[in-house]
Amino acid sequence: MLRRDGILFRRGVIPALVLSLLLAAVIAAASLSVLKSAGEGSARAEVILVDYEDSLYSRIAISTVEAQSYIDSLLHIETADTEEEALALLNDGKCAAIVVLPKGYLSDISVGREAKGRIILSEAAAASADIVGSVALFGERLLAAGQYGVFAGQRLIWSHELSGEFEKNFLIKSNTGLMDAALSLYDDAIIPEVTPYDGTSLTLTAYYAVAWLVLFFMLCGLFFMNLYLADNEPSILTRLYALKATPQSFFLGKWLLPFVFRLVFCAALLIGLGRFIPLKLTVLTILSASLGLLFVSLFVSSLCVLTADRSASFGLITAVSAAGLFLAGGIVPRSMLSPLLTEIGRFTPSGLAAAFLAPLFGGEADWLCMGLAMLLAVGLTYWTLRALTLRPVRTGGNAE
């Protein structure tokens, strides 16, 4: 039987390969679109800056701040000449916020006088007003704390009646040091950490890669329908069994050959994905991913063989795959789904398969889902073999 299945597989492997490549291209485009939508919250905010001082020193200070990598990753800053011009851009939805710096603010700060700018938020960003205000207040207090040190130095200079030239040099060095300390604060005092995506153990990109890879491996098995359905009629099964074939040998090629196809295709896909997503390639993660592909192959092949007489496998597997992708948050972001739905998605066939692929992308092993997948695979295999044994009998054939 394996030889005959090999002939059927070879006849269909080229069309399956072409269709799989087309499917991979469509899924890649769709997943990138969904990923971009899910990551829009982390896009840079458009900010309009109105600098009424507009002096050489203020332009240098603003340019220095803008050049910081962490500021550049959060904000895209454009300038406007007047507040009215900036408000017009805000009302047109072309920016999220306006920062207005009053005339003489830099000179006021340098000598210890109170100088406050204003932040105007769009309606869309109004919900973040408290956060923005807290950040601004933190910056103000941080700057004030540094200035208190400068003022203490000035008083010490005055008390000792040192020269004006000495005081001027002191102020230049102190304020320059404060600027350097503020600009290096992010690198020296803050340790950035990338948290997993929405309660998962994967990054955002890795999570979507796993979800859409599972969809691909589920659907690409449908390109081998001739392999699943050939010789599956009761009368042909009866003759095959009479020639010493068994349900086990009949089913072997139906899942083994698509499994090998998925393994080869997976290796090629990972070579491409490895350029964009960090992969954790170890013996255990590769073994886990291989077991996941084995589960998918047994699941798809079993359903196709079980429903061969009803021709329902194509629609059934497509529906199961699409539902699994949706419940996993692969179409609608997980944050927009209820925890109940995402938990249900975890235990769908797609979710069980994703548990095996997650460690390859740096995720944690979900032993519960892996165990349930193994039980489901064993159960479906047993059910398929039993159905193959009884199918000729139920139609009055001879299953000897």
Side-chain angles (χ1 to χ4, degrees):
M1 281 302 304
L2 188 59
R3 180 181 298 177
R4 174 166 174 75
D5 285 336
I7 295 173
L8 293 173
F9 178 78
R10 287 196 299 272
R11 289 176 181 173
V13 71
I14 299 301
L17 179 60
V18 173
L19 291 173
S20 295
L21 289 172
L22 292 174
L23 177 64
V26 172
I27 286 180
S31 60
L32 287 174
S33 176
V34 175
L35 177 61
K36 181 180 178 181
S37 176
E40 281 182 352
S42 60
R44 293 194 302 171
E46 296 289 335
V47 176
I48 302 297
L49 176 66
V50 181
D51 178 19
Y52 280 119
E53 179 169 312
D54 195 27
S55 65
L56 174 62
Y57 291 112
S58 70
R59 289 195 293 271
I60 292 175
I62 292 170
S63 299
T64 303
V65 172
E66 285 181 323
Q68 298 303 302
S69 59
Y70 67 96
I71 294 292
D72 185 63
S73 66
L74 297 174
L75 305 176
H76 177 241
I77 302 176
E78 296 286 346
T79 59
D81 295 330
T82 64
E83 185 174 336
E84 290 73 19
E85 180 184 344
L87 286 172
L89 295 173
L90 184 71
N91 293 331
D92 290 340
K94 296 181 179 179
C95 67
I98 299 172
V99 177
V100 181
L101 300 178
K103 187 176 181 60
Y105 76 95
L106 198 60
S107 57
D108 288 340
I109 289 174
S110 64
V111 297
R113 287 194 295 266
E114 183 178 14
K116 291 186 176 181
R118 290 188 298 121
I119 300 175
I120 305 173
L121 298 176
S122 66
E123 293 183 1
S128 304
D130 292 339
I131 297 175
V132 173
S134 298
V135 171
L137 181 60
F138 170 77
E140 179 183 333
R141 289 178 175 175
L142 188 66
L143 182 61
Q147 285 296 309
Y148 292 152
V150 176
F151 302 154
Q154 274 187 307
R155 288 189 177 183
L156 188 62
I157 292 173
W158 295 338
S159 65
H160 288 76
E161 297 182 351
L162 298 177
S163 66
E165 185 67 23
F166 185 91
E167 180 182 357
K168 180 180 178 181
N169 291 334
F170 168 77
L171 290 176
I172 292 175
K173 290 181 179 180
S174 299
N175 285 302
T176 302
L178 283 175
M179 177 68 77
D180 291 339
L183 295 178
S184 63
L185 179 66
Y186 180 81
D187 295 326
D188 297 340
I190 298 176
I191 301 176
E193 182 177 345
V194 179
T195 58
Y197 170 59
D198 197 32
T200 68
S201 61
L202 296 165
T203 64
L204 174 67
T205 305
Y207 182 82
Y208 275 89
V210 169
W212 287 82
L213 273 177
V214 170
L215 176 71
F216 169 77
F217 288 125
M218 293 279 278
L219 295 182
C220 74
L222 298 177
F223 301 143
F224 296 100
M225 277 298 176
N226 190 45
L227 174 65
Y228 304 134
L229 304 182
D231 306 329
N232 214 342
E233 296 179 5
S235 58
I236 299 178
L237 280 174
T238 301
R239 290 196 294 270
L240 289 173
Y241 293 164
L243 295 172
K244 306 303 180 182
T246 64
Q248 290 81 2
S249 63
F250 180 87
F251 185 54
L252 177 62
K254 304 293 188 285
W255 65 263
L256 179 60
L257 296 175
F259 169 63
V260 173
F261 179 85
R262 288 184 174 94
L263 275 179
V264 174
F265 217 101
C266 181
L269 287 175
L270 291 179
I271 291 174
L273 285 174
R275 299 183 178 182
F276 307 99
I277 306 174
L279 299 177
K280 186 179 180 182
L281 297 174
T282 66
V283 174
L284 291 178
T285 58
I286 293 174
L287 177 61
S288 176
S290 300
L291 289 175
L293 297 181
L294 176 60
F295 165 73
V296 171
S297 298
L298 287 171
F299 177 79
V300 173
S301 298
S302 295
L303 288 187
C304 288
V305 173
L306 285 170
T307 60
D309 56 340
R310 292 181 291 276
S311 301
S313 54
F314 190 94
L316 179 61
I317 293 172
T318 302
V320 169
S321 303
L325 181 66
F326 171 78
L327 293 173
I331 300 176
V332 178
R334 283 174 60 91
S335 58
M336 299 179 65
L337 299 175
S338 69
L340 176 61
L341 287 179
T342 56
E343 191 66 13
I344 293 174
R346 177 189 171 198
F347 295 105
T348 61
S350 296
L352 298 180
F356 288 95
L357 294 179
L360 195 62
F361 290 83
E364 298 176 359
D366 190 338
W367 299 109
L368 176 59
C369 286
M370 290 180 177
L372 291 176
M374 292 298 184
L375 290 176
L376 179 59
V378 171
L380 281 174
T381 301
Y382 171 79
W383 190 10
T384 302
L385 295 177
R386 180 173 175 79
L388 289 172
T389 302
L390 297 178
R391 186 167 293 169
V393 177
R394 289 176 176 172
T395 58
N398 183 7
E400 297 178 359

